[in-house]
Amino acid sequence: MESEMLALSGTAETVSLQLEFLDIKMSGKEAAAVLDYIHAHKSVLSEGEFILRRVLCAVLTKGRKKEVHYRVNLKAETFIAGLWLSGKFEERLEELLYSILYIPRDRIIRLDESRGEVCIVRQSILRHKKTAHRDMFADNRSLCVNEQLECKFKDGDKCTCRKADIDVILWQLQLKRVFKRKNTYFELNL
């Protein structure tokens, strides 16, 4: 199935109006938060997707005004990932998912933040090939990579999640059909 592409352009307010036309209701400030997050992580965009961000300065009688203009071509799924990963839409995420993809609310999988599921999924989304494995946090030197999350493995700025814990979390996520197993790693089931 081919993904629906979102082609948007203009200021955050203009993009917000374009999204509203697609039944996705968010303010200009919210749209800017999502687009800025995706722009900061654009290395994960797939072929055909792009996001351009340009800051223009207007000279006014009272000083200067900066205005950000966007030119965007993203898959709906990428936009949703930006919504979720930006962490700014927790209370509205279900509503936004439904309006973007028309996914029935009973088909939305709930991830348990406290058990580390959200962290594992976030990190796999940010990986280019959208995979996860038991050594995925080996390079972090025990530092927490998702400090904004509340997780039982978080101890201040340290992460106490061991390989055995990651194995259990990946197994749970496989049961929820978030991941599918491929030999020695797990692939995000999109």
Side-chain angles (χ1 to χ4, degrees):
M1 183 171 94
E2 182 111 359
S3 295
E4 182 180 343
M5 296 297 281
L6 299 175
L8 310 165
S9 64
T11 64
E13 288 73 25
T14 306
V15 167
S16 170
L17 291 172
Q18 292 169 15
L19 289 169
E20 191 171 323
F21 183 73
L22 298 170
D23 291 328
I24 303 167
K25 295 180 180 22
M26 59 178 28
S27 70
K29 190 175 182 178
E30 291 172 327
V34 174
L35 295 176
D36 290 344
Y37 185 87
I38 295 170
H39 184 266
H41 298 87
K42 60 185 171 191
S43 63
V44 300
L45 297 180
S46 57
E47 188 176 330
E49 291 184 296
F50 63 84
I51 182 164
L52 303 173
R53 185 181 183 277
R54 192 170 47 161
V55 179
L56 301 176
C57 290
V59 178
L60 306 172
T61 55
K62 296 179 183 176
R64 298 181 128 182
K65 179 184 175 192
K66 287 186 180 180
E67 203 170 58
V68 180
H69 286 255
Y70 299 93
R71 191 157 165 251
V72 177
N73 194 47
L74 298 172
K75 292 179 185 172
E77 293 87 355
T78 303
F79 188 79
I80 290 167
L83 279 171
W84 182 56
L85 292 170
S86 69
K88 301 188 185 306
F89 302 93
E90 296 296 321
E91 65 283 344
R92 291 187 50 219
L93 188 60
E94 193 171 303
E95 166 202 336
L96 290 165
L97 279 173
Y98 184 72
S99 67
I100 295 170
L101 293 178
Y102 307 106
I103 297 174
R105 285 176 173 80
D106 63 338
R107 298 282 316 271
I108 296 172
I109 298 168
R110 305 224 186 281
L111 300 178
D112 190 335
E113 181 177 324
S114 67
R115 291 192 323 211
E117 292 178 354
V118 173
C119 182
I120 297 286
V121 173
R122 276 188 178 195
Q123 288 310 111
S124 69
I125 288 172
L126 291 174
R127 295 170 62 92
H128 184 64
K129 294 188 178 189
K130 297 179 179 40
T131 60
H133 54 86
R134 68 187 329 246
D135 295 318
M136 65 189 295
F137 297 129
D139 295 337
N140 299 346
R141 294 185 206 71
S142 298
L143 292 175
C144 181
V145 294
N146 286 299
E147 292 181 21
Q148 72 279 15
L149 298 178
E150 293 302 322
C151 164
K152 70 180 182 180
F153 301 107
K154 184 178 176 180
D155 184 16
D157 64 346
K158 301 286 186 206
C159 177
T160 62
C161 191
R162 300 165 299 150
K163 290 179 182 183
D165 299 319
I166 293 172
D167 287 340
V168 170
I169 295 167
L170 287 171
W171 178 76
Q172 292 167 338
L173 290 169
Q174 183 181 7
L175 289 177
K176 290 182 176 185
R177 296 190 175 138
V178 175
F179 284 102
K180 53 187 168 191
R181 187 174 187 98
K182 300 276 188 174
N183 295 326
T184 60
Y185 65 93
F186 290 80
E187 185 176 74
L188 204 54
N189 196 15
L190 295 176

